[in-house]
């Protein structure tokens, strides 16, 4: 597999000569229009309006806490006392039953809390909205933890109380059931109702529910009106603030549509931002932007950009957002836990780094002779949050499996792998949707997983994935015969010795399972015998990370259960 070995094989002349992109018209590297001044950032990020809701709810929470402390710790003003007594007398019945009051106090946690939070959690699990589920359970668990610390009898609760108040005596929290109910109701609303009319009507239902509960407790003398109202505002504002910070609507919309979460909605607002950013930063005027081949992408939002003034008529764009960066982190953590430390599995620190890496890999592979779409540049749509990678849209290109795969196409596809080897790079995601055919020329697209200076094992995996992709249409025997002009039999055998469930991309694995389930074994039977190459890699880091992840998950579930039970939610 070494470069000096590849250079002496038949067909290597294509590696030594630079493979250029398809001839096309129109902009390649767009130049700034004459007379338009220097190209600089627009500065619109300074004028980006900040969300108002978090500020409003933060102010409400601070005011509610301050009023609660003032009213509870100090003697209430006579005006408030008179108002509380007047409202209580107005609502109270002549024959108030203390037993009924006790029953109501016990009924709140049963019918008020559990009837709300249990179905909400179940619905979030069904909709696979894990971010909302984690924030929802965390917000109501936090309130339950406060109850445990304030009134719990455990040694830990007493130690915490002593450190905070100077005494281990339990605290009598004012209107605590109202706080819990308002927290659960507001959190349920934000987890289930999308913004707009549905959420506004939901707020009306929350107000009616909490107000009815407050009126009943005030009528039975369980709470004073002022404390109950302040407690309701405190619980609701705390829940909404947690959702506004940890699950903002702009990044985690409430939806029940089954779709790939990596695909962003190209609504009117986002489309307008993209069109303006491309014009300001690349000097290209776009007429429109549409989703493009979403079925082949799960880590970005591919788009087709329509130029206002061609040719070419279209360009290609990949829209990245912070959600893609978070998905990349979880994906790489799962790979490390399952398979050990592979290659280039370090997560990106920002979405800017993510898109910069793909733009760099495109330019690196292009300069190394690999036939890839011509990169035009990176566009900052929202500073730090959304970026667009713009490349050429290869004209008249189709996916490999949608074209007649003759010998010329098989040869050129294998030649691209050989060129990757000579360039000292690996694609790491060769599958049908990433191998395009234009006439008898093959293009490799989606190089976001690309790696510079990979190991011998990683390069062998690229070869196996390309041969498997070709064999789905052309058959293994024909692919092996054509590959003999570029690779030694031992190199091909080594490639399939390294092949397993991890190394075959999901789309390719699905297609193989549907057409030729024994395709890998067919290749191995045609090639010299080679000892299997293990991909499991154990290290101290992997063991410690696995133990920490498992222990953290168990601790989080146990803490959640204890908090919910302490707050009367279980």
């Amino acid at each position: 597999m070494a470069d000096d070995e590849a250079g002496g094989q038949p067909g290597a002349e294509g590696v030594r000569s630079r493979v250029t992109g398809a001839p096309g018209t129109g902009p390649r590297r767009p130049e700034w229009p004459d007379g338009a001044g220097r190209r600089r950032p627009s500065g619109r990020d300074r004028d980006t309006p900040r969300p108002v809701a978090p500020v409003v709810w933060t102010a409400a929470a601070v005011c509610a806490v301050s009023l609660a402390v003032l009213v509870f710790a100090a003697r209430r003003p006579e005006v408030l006392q008179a108002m509380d007594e007047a409202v209580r007398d107005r609502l109270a019945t002549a024959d108030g039953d203390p037993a009924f009051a006790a029953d109501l106090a016990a009924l709140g946690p049963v019918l008020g809390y559990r009837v709300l939070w249990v179905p909400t959690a179940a619905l979030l699990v069904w909709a696979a909205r894990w971010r909302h589920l984690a924030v929802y359970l965390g917000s109501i668990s936090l309130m339950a933890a406060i109850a445990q610390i304030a009134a719990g009898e455990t040694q830990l609760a007493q130690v915490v109380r002593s450190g905070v108040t100077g005494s281990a005596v339990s605290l009598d929290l004012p209107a605590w059931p109202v706080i819990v109910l308002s927290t659960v109701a507001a959190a349920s609303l934000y987890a289930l109702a999308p913004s707009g009319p549905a959420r506004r009507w939901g707020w009306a239902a929350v107000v009616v529910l909490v107000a009815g509960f407050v009126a009943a407790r005030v009528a039975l003398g369980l709470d004073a009106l002022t404390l109950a109202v302040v407690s309701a505002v405190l619980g609701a504002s705390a829940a909404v603030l947690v959702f506004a910070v940890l699950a903002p609507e702009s990044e985690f919309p409430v939806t029940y549509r089954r779709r790939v979460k990596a695909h962003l909605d190209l609504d009117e607002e986002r489309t307008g931002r993209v069109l303006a950013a491309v014009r300001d930063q690349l000097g290209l005027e776009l007429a429109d932007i549409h989703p493009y081949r979403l079925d082949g992408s799960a880590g970005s939002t591919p788009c087709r950009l329509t130029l206002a003034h061609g040719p070419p008529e279209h360009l290609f764009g990949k829209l990245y957002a912070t959600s893609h960066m978070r998905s990349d982190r979880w994906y790489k953590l799962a790979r490390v836990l399952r398979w050990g430390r592979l290659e280039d599995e370090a997560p990106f620190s920002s979405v800017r780094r993510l898109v910069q890496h793909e733009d760099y890999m495109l330019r690196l592979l292009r300069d190394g002779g690999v036939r890839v779409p011509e990169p035009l540049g990176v566009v900052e749509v929202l500073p730090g949050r959304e970026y667009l990678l713009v490349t050429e849209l290869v004209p008249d290109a189709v996916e490999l499996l949608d074209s007649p795969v003759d010998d010329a196409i098989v040869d050129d596809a294998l030649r691209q792998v050989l060129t990757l080897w000579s360039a000292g790079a690996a694609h790491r995601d060769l599958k049908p949707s990433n191998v395009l055919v234009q006439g008898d020329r093959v293009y490799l697209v989606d190089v976001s997983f690309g790696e510079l200076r990979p190991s011998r094992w990683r390069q062998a995996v690229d070869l196996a994935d390309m041969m498997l992709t070709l064999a789905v249409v052309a058959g293994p025997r024909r692919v092996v015969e054509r590959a003999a002009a570029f690779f030694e039999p031992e190199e091909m055998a080594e490639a399939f010795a390294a092949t397993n469930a991890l190394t075959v991309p999901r789309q390719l694995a699905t297609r193989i399972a549907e057409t030729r389930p024994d395709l890998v074994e067919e290749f191995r039977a045609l090639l010299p015998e080679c000892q299997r190459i293990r991909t499991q890699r154990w290290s101290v880091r992997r063991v410690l990370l696995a133990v920490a992840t498992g222990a953290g998950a168990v601790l989080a579930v146990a803490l959640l259960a204890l908090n919910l039970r302490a707050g009367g939610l279980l």
Side-chain angles (χ1 to χ4, degrees):
M1 287 184 195
D3 293 349
D4 55 348
E5 295 174 354
Q9 296 173 29
E13 296 81 11
V15 177
R16 287 192 289 267
S17 62
R18 176 182 173 86
V19 182
T20 59
T25 56
R28 283 297 187 201
R29 293 184 178 180
E31 297 184 1
W32 199 239
D34 294 336
R38 293 180 297 172
R39 187 184 312 193
R40 297 199 60 215
S42 63
R44 291 196 180 96
D45 54 311
R46 300 179 183 178
D47 303 327
T48 302
R50 300 297 180 184
V52 178
V55 178
V56 173
W57 285 107
T58 300
V62 171
C63 292
V65 171
S66 302
L67 290 174
V69 171
L70 178 65
V71 174
F72 180 62
R75 181 179 178 81
R76 280 176 294 167
E78 294 183 359
V79 175
L80 293 181
Q81 291 185 19
M83 183 180 66
D84 291 343
E85 293 175 358
V87 173
R88 183 186 60 203
D89 295 341
R90 181 82 174 180
L91 296 176
T93 58
D95 53 349
D97 187 359
F100 179 72
D103 292 341
L104 179 64
L107 189 64
V110 176
L111 294 182
Y113 309 155
R114 300 175 191 175
V115 168
L116 284 175
W117 85 264
V118 174
T120 300
L123 186 57
L124 292 175
V125 172
W126 173 82
R129 300 218 317 269
W130 307 115
R131 179 83 174 199
H132 285 106
L133 178 65
V135 174
Y136 179 71
L137 294 179
S139 61
I140 64 176
S141 174
L142 178 62
M143 284 297 177
I146 295 175
Q148 172 70 0
I149 294 174
E153 299 298 330
T154 63
Q155 185 176 1
L156 176 62
Q158 294 177 10
V159 170
V160 174
R161 281 199 301 271
S162 298
V164 175
T165 65
S167 173
V169 178
S170 299
L171 300 177
D172 184 17
L173 293 176
W176 177 252
V178 177
I179 295 178
V180 177
L181 179 62
S182 60
T183 301
V184 174
S188 300
L189 173 65
Y190 267 69
L192 298 181
S195 59
R199 187 167 290 178
R200 288 194 290 271
W201 283 105
W203 268 120
V206 169
V207 170
V208 170
L209 174 65
V210 176
F213 188 59
V214 167
R217 290 183 64 85
V218 171
L220 295 171
L222 298 175
D223 294 317
L225 176 64
T226 53
L227 283 177
V229 171
V230 168
S231 300
V233 174
L234 175 60
S237 60
V240 174
L241 187 59
V242 170
F243 269 86
V245 173
L246 299 181
E249 184 77 16
S250 58
E251 297 185 32
F252 302 95
V254 177
T255 178
Y256 296 95
R257 291 178 297 168
R258 294 285 183 173
R259 63 184 181 90
V260 180
K261 291 182 173 57
H263 299 158
L264 303 176
D265 289 330
L266 294 178
D267 52 24
E268 183 177 355
E269 181 181 359
R270 177 173 280 122
T271 298
R273 288 199 303 262
V274 171
L275 298 182
V278 172
R279 180 183 62 248
D280 294 343
Q281 298 172 37
L282 293 185
L284 295 175
E285 192 72 34
L286 298 183
D288 208 347
I289 175 174
H290 297 283
Y292 184 70
R293 291 182 175 175
L294 297 181
D295 56 339
S297 174
S300 64
T301 304
C303 313
R304 184 174 63 182
L305 314 178
T306 303
L307 286 170
H309 310 288
E313 184 179 355
H314 300 290
L315 297 174
F316 179 75
K318 291 182 70 174
L319 188 60
Y320 285 103
T322 51
S323 58
H324 300 122
M325 179 192 65
R326 285 190 290 264
S327 298
D328 176 75
R329 289 175 178 174
W330 286 110
Y331 174 73
K332 289 179 176 175
L333 174 62
R335 283 170 61 91
V336 171
L337 291 177
R338 183 179 178 186
W339 299 101
R341 182 71 173 179
L342 299 176
E343 294 182 25
D344 202 19
E345 295 297 328
F348 292 98
S349 59
S350 66
V351 63
R352 187 198 302 264
R353 299 290 184 189
L354 179 63
V355 71
Q356 281 178 351
H357 173 75
E358 184 166 0
D359 181 65
Y360 165 74
M361 288 304 303
L362 278 172
R363 299 176 188 276
L364 173 75
L365 296 181
R366 177 202 61 188
D367 294 344
V370 183
R371 197 177 295 119
V372 295
E374 182 76 15
L376 274 70
V378 174
V379 175
E380 187 178 62
V381 181
L382 283 177
R385 292 171 52 191
E386 288 186 15
Y387 292 83
L388 180 72
L389 174 65
V390 182
T391 71
E392 70 165 326
L393 183 65
V394 183
D396 303 323
V398 296
E399 290 187 12
L400 177 70
L401 301 186
D402 296 331
S403 67
V405 181
D406 55 21
D407 289 346
I409 292 176
V410 174
D411 289 349
D412 197 47
L414 296 169
R415 188 178 294 112
Q416 298 310 308
V417 176
L418 188 60
T419 311
L420 278 170
W421 288 13
S422 296
H427 187 283
R428 301 182 72 227
D429 194 26
L430 290 176
K431 57 185 180 181
S433 61
N434 290 341
V435 181
L436 302 184
V437 175
Q438 181 199 58
D440 58 355
R441 299 157 62 90
V442 171
Y443 281 77
L444 304 184
V445 299
D446 193 2
V447 299
S448 56
F449 284 172
E451 181 183 355
L452 177 63
R453 296 304 167 196
S455 68
R456 182 184 181 99
W457 169 83
R458 186 68 255 181
Q459 288 186 328
V461 169
D462 269 0
L463 174 59
D465 288 345
M466 179 61 84
M467 294 179 70
L468 288 169
T469 301
L470 294 169
V472 170
V473 178
R477 184 173 298 278
R478 180 176 161 206
V479 172
V480 169
E481 291 174 353
R482 303 306 304 180
F486 303 93
F487 304 96
E488 297 292 339
E490 291 75 16
E491 291 178 325
M492 291 184 279
E494 184 181 25
F496 285 96
T499 300
N500 55 43
L502 167 69
T503 64
V504 181
R506 182 178 303 176
Q507 183 198 27
L508 178 57
T510 302
R511 191 60 181 263
I512 292 174
E514 294 172 350
T515 56
R516 306 182 72 141
D518 299 326
L519 185 57
V520 175
E521 294 301 327
E522 292 182 51
F523 269 112
R524 288 173 178 161
L526 295 171
L527 297 169
E529 186 176 352
C530 184
Q531 185 178 1
R532 297 292 177 84
I533 299 175
R534 297 176 58 188
T535 55
Q536 286 281 2
R537 298 187 179 185
W538 289 97
S539 63
V540 175
R541 178 184 180 276
R542 180 187 179 187
V543 172
L544 293 179
L545 186 60
V547 171
T549 303
V554 172
L555 181 61
V557 172
L559 186 62
L560 176 65
L562 290 175
N563 288 344
L564 294 179
R565 181 175 293 277
L569 294 166
L570 281 180

